Each structure stands twice: as C-alpha cells, then as structure tokens.
Amino acid sequence: MYIIIPIGVLHPSWQVGVDLRCLDSFLYEAMRLDAEASYRFGNIRITVPLRYSHSFSHELDFIESGFAVSVYPFDGQGFHIGVSALRLGVFWGLEAPEDRILAFSEVMAGWTITFPWFYLEPRIAVLDLFSTSADRLGELQEAVPQYSKLRLSLIAGVSIP
C-alpha cells in the first residue's frame, strides 16, 4: 500500500515518440532517425533517446543513446526544461574518427501538448553546450548536416497510462 498509493497519485505514464523533423533527411545527403522512450511521473520525465545517422556522401555512420531528465516547473502547463544526464555515441565506417566513442551533452526546452492517447512536443535543443567534443561533432556535422548546435524538433508519440 505504501508503494501503490504514491505511484497512483503521481499519474505515471510511458511515452514513445519519434522526431518528425527527421523527414528533412530527404533534403540532405544524409539520414537521421530519432526515437525516444520516456517514463513520466509527476513533474519529472526520464527519457532514453535512440538516434541513428548515416551519411550518403561520406563513409560514416553514428548511433547514440543515453538518458535525459526533464522537469515540468509549471503544473499542467506542458512547458519543460531538461538536460542529458548521459549521452554516448559510436562512430563506424571508413571515415570514422580514430576515437570512435563520443560523450557529449544536450540542454533542451519544449512544450508537451497532450491528447487522450498521443502527444506532440515542439522542442529546441542545444547540443554540446560546453564544447567538450567540438572537433568530432564538427566532423559529424559535415557528414550529417542535421547535427547542428541548435536543433528544432517536433516529437510525435503515444502515451500509455
């Protein structure tokens, strides 16, 4: 009872979404696919993203994951701010850098618009705010132009209460 009652009060839910902005891959010589799974309880959301990028003009692939924590500071308003607590990526291919593992950060803000079973989330994210991996991210951005310092996204997904 001590565990069930507090969890019920928080209204936890699972969310699974994709970034509709990835449709811009048809405009570039590269492909980027972004998906994420989240668990939201109360005003906190834990997100595990999975992102894959492939360059058609370079021999380079990149996959990344990690987890991010977001906070909804205003009850019921949908606005949230978040930070990646861990974000790691791996390069492969003929043009991959010698150090294939990349650790970097992301800061984001967005607005979650919820409907009965799905949600839309416009989001802005700043990649590698502290420029810890600027050289390798520059190489990635050259091969996959969708990797920019500032990214606007539109996440669409389903909520599972």
Side-chain angles (χ1 to χ4, degrees):
M1 291 298 280
Y2 293 113
I3 295 173
I4 294 172
I5 291 173
I7 289 176
V9 172
L10 294 175
H11 302 290
S13 67
W14 290 94
Q15 297 174 325
V16 178
V18 295
D19 187 356
L20 297 180
R21 171 87 192 287
C22 291
L23 294 175
D24 70 356
S25 292
F26 294 111
L27 304 174
Y28 296 105
E29 292 186 7
M31 174 183 64
R32 178 174 168 166
L33 302 173
D34 293 13
E36 61 183 39
S38 303
Y39 183 72
R40 182 172 173 187
F41 52 97
N43 291 334
I44 298 173
R45 180 171 74 177
I46 308 295
T47 302
V48 176
L50 181 61
R51 298 178 177 123
Y52 170 72
S53 301
H54 173 75
S55 176
F56 298 116
S57 60
H58 295 72
E59 289 289 328
L60 182 68
D61 289 286
F62 185 68
I63 192 165
E64 64 176 285
S65 189
F67 74 93
V69 178
S70 299
V71 176
Y72 291 80
F74 309 113
D75 281 337
Q77 299 303 313
F79 174 76
H80 67 89
I81 53 175
V83 64
S84 60
L86 173 69
R87 190 160 173 188
L88 294 172
V90 177
F91 291 96
W92 75 89
L94 295 176
E95 296 183 46
E98 190 172 307
D99 188 8
R100 294 181 184 268
I101 297 176
L102 176 64
F104 51 108
S105 62
E106 181 179 52
V107 177
M108 67 201 89
W111 200 279
T112 306
I113 304 163
T114 57
F115 300 95
W117 287 95
F118 68 96
Y119 67 97
L120 289 174
E121 186 176 295
R123 183 188 298 169
I124 186 168
V126 179
L127 185 66
D128 201 31
L129 186 63
F130 303 109
S131 298
T132 57
S133 304
D135 295 339
R136 288 188 287 156
L137 279 175
E139 293 173 19
L140 180 60
Q141 185 177 0
E142 181 183 320
V144 182
Q146 294 94 321
Y147 269 91
S148 60
K149 194 88 162 153
L150 184 69
R151 180 164 173 88
L152 298 173
S153 299
L154 179 61
I155 309 297
V158 295
S159 295
I160 304 164

